[in-house]
């Protein structure tokens, strides 16, 4: 029933809100200032998520009638602040395929850092091929690879013994969470920018790039980074709430 409600919601949105059509009207997109342009990008992302909830959800429900175990539905993109998690938890079937048949066979095992980056690059080359080898996919895949790689480097650095001891001795958990959100904010902005290319193509993606990056102002940069910081805090709080909910459910089952 929930999937059918989301499908009806999509039909309603497409009849009354024309953000999908705007992606094909380059003149209209160029005439927007930064605020409506940001709203257009956010609407495209949310629409993309709900569309895939319906596209993945209906076959998943039908497959369960045959006792199959389909991949879980995609997480909402507004509650993900690490784009390594986006690749894990949005299209879970694609992630499982990449991990099993490309990433691990090439050498993407813990402790083999050079091989892990090579394996990640091979995965994004396959993604580029899989989605049709269009020019805008080069931007999308390249920026996502850079973002995922920088996240992996940051995880490696913060797991080193001196950094870990310093954090445990001098940095409180709330402050560490703030630092994580601040460090993730620019990477999240880069990844979201790459998705504008993926959602709307090369020409519209260049409009976003020029208005939000090339010709941005200190105020606009501050607004974007603060928004990404808040998104990161919201995502981490959602993760904490889910962990507490799972713990509470496990406690109830044991009683």
């Amino acid at each position: 029933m929930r999937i059918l409600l989301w499908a009806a919601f999509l039909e309603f949105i497409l009849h009354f809100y024309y953000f999908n059509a705007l992606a094909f009207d380059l003149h209209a997109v160029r005439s927007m200032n930064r605020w409506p342009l940001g709203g257009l990008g956010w609407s495209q992302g949310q629409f993309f998520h709900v569309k895939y909830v319906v596209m993945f959800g209906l076959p998943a429900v039908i497959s369960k009638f045959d006792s199959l175990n389909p991949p879980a539905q995609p997480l909402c993109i507004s509650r993900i602040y690490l784009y390594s998690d986006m690749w894990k938890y949005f299209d879970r079937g694609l992630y499982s395929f990449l991990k099993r048949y490309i990433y691990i066979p090439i050498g993407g095992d813990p402790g083999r850092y050079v091989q892990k980056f090579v394996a990640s690059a091979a995965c994004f080359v396959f993604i580029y091929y899989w989605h049709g080898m269009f020019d805008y996919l080069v931007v999308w895949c390249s920026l996502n690879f850079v973002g995922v790689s920088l996240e992996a480097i940051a995880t490696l650095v913060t797991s080193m013994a001196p950094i870990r001891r310093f954090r445990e001795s001098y940095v409180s958990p709330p402050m560490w969470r703030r630092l994580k959100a601040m460090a993730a904010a620019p990477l999240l902005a880069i990844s979201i920018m790459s998705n504008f290319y993926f959602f709307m193509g090369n020409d519209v993606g260049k409009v976003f790039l020029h208005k939000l990056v090339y010709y941005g102002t200190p105020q606009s940069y501050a607004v974007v980074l603060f928004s990404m910081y808040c998104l990161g805090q919201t995502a981490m709080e959602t993760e904490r709430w889910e962990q507490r909910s799972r713990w509470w459910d496990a406690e109830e089952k044991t009683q």
Side-chain angles (χ1 to χ4, degrees), residues 55-75:
M55 289 175 60
F56 292 167
L58 287 176
V61 170
I62 295 171
S63 65
K64 289 179 181 178
F65 293 149
D66 291 329
S67 300
L68 299 177
N69 186 26
Q73 293 185 15
L75 290 183

Side-chain angles (χ1 to χ4, degrees), residues 144-166:
N144 273 272
F145 171 69
V146 170
V148 169
S149 299
L150 290 176
E151 286 179 11
I153 293 171
T155 302
L156 173 63
V157 171
T158 55
S159 65
M160 293 178 176
I163 303 296
R164 189 172 62 251
R165 287 195 297 267
F166 177 84

Side-chain angles (χ1 to χ4, degrees), residues 10-175:
L10 285 179
E11 288 296 324
F12 172 83
I13 286 293
L14 290 175
H15 276 289
F16 294 100
Y17 296 92
Y18 306 116
F19 49 86
N20 262 357
L22 279 173
F24 297 96
D25 190 341
L26 192 58
H27 176 74
V29 175
R30 284 174 174 165
S31 67
M32 295 179 181
N33 61 35
R34 295 185 186 93
W35 283 107
L37 199 63
L40 174 63
W42 182 84
S43 300
Q44 288 282 347
Q46 294 302 126
F47 174 79
F48 187 80
H49 166 250
V50 177
K51 178 178 71 174
Y52 270 77
V53 167
V54 175
M55 289 175 60
F56 292 167
L58 287 176
V61 170
I62 295 171
S63 65
K64 289 179 181 178
F65 293 149
D66 291 329
S67 300
L68 299 177
N69 186 26
Q73 293 185 15
L75 290 183
C76 177
I77 61 173
S78 291
R79 52 144 301 180
I80 297 177
Y81 73 104
L82 296 174
Y83 259 68
S84 55
D85 287 347
M86 179 67 79
W87 286 102
K88 289 179 184 177
Y89 301 125
F90 190 83
D91 191 339
R92 301 176 195 245
L94 177 61
Y95 172 76
S96 298
F97 175 87
L98 294 172
K99 182 178 179 180
R100 178 178 298 179
Y101 296 109
I102 299 178
Y103 187 78
I104 292 178
I106 290 178
D109 295 324
R112 304 172 65 183
Y113 302 114
V114 175
Q115 290 90 333
K116 286 178 67 174
F117 286 112
V118 173
S120 295
C123 289
F124 281 102
V125 169
F126 174 81
I127 291 167
Y128 167 70
Y129 171 77
W130 175 259
H131 284 85
M133 297 190 295
F134 299 105
D135 53 355
Y136 63 87
L137 294 174
V138 175
V139 179
W140 178 58
C141 291
S142 299
L143 290 179
N144 273 272
F145 171 69
V146 170
V148 169
S149 299
L150 290 176
E151 286 179 11
I153 293 171
T155 302
L156 173 63
V157 171
T158 55
S159 65
M160 293 178 176
I163 303 296
R164 189 172 62 251
R165 287 195 297 267
F166 177 84
R167 186 188 74 189
E168 293 170 353
S169 301
Y170 300 105
V171 183
S172 66
M175 180 55 70

